[in-house]
Amino acid sequence: RTTIQNVVAGVLFKRGAELQLDQTVLISKRKARLVRVGTLKTVFYMDNGNQSKMIVPNSQLVTLTLEVLLEEHLAEERRSP
């Protein structure tokens, strides 16, 4: 059942999120970069001085507080065709 929940959550996250790969976000006030949205898990590289990787099961994405950094997001939109 957990695998099915992760797959469904991953699909919904990909479809509904306004995030793009390599985009910088804040996760609970910590700077992170979205590097992969997989079938079962999503991976962020954390910019916390340790250069760590945060692996989140897709079923737990709804529990994260994600903030998009608007300046970087707007700059990315301007570069996209």
Side-chain angles (χ1 to χ4, degrees):
R1 180 177 170 152
T2 302
T3 301
I4 293 171
Q5 289 173 328
N6 284 333
V7 171
V8 170
V11 169
L12 293 175
F13 184 72
K14 281 182 182 181
R15 281 189 168 176
E18 295 183 18
L19 301 176
Q20 299 174 8
L21 291 181
D22 210 34
Q23 185 170 1
T24 302
V25 296
L26 295 178
I27 301 174
S28 300
K29 309 260 186 228
R30 293 172 36 202
K31 199 171 185 179
R33 186 168 50 91
L34 176 63
V35 293
R36 186 167 75 96
V37 180
T39 305
L40 301 176
K41 60 190 173 201
T42 297
V43 179
F44 298 91
Y45 285 161
M46 307 303 291
D47 186 11
N48 57 5
N50 298 331
Q51 298 301 316
S52 60
K53 177 167 59 171
M54 181 177 186
I55 301 169
V56 182
N58 288 336
S59 61
Q60 293 181 10
L61 287 171
V62 296
T63 64
L64 292 181
T65 302
L66 294 175
E67 296 178 55
V68 176
L69 299 175
L70 290 179
E71 291 177 12
E72 292 181 24
H73 182 66
L74 294 174
E76 182 64 34
E77 283 185 352
R78 284 186 218 118
R79 283 181 266 180
S80 298

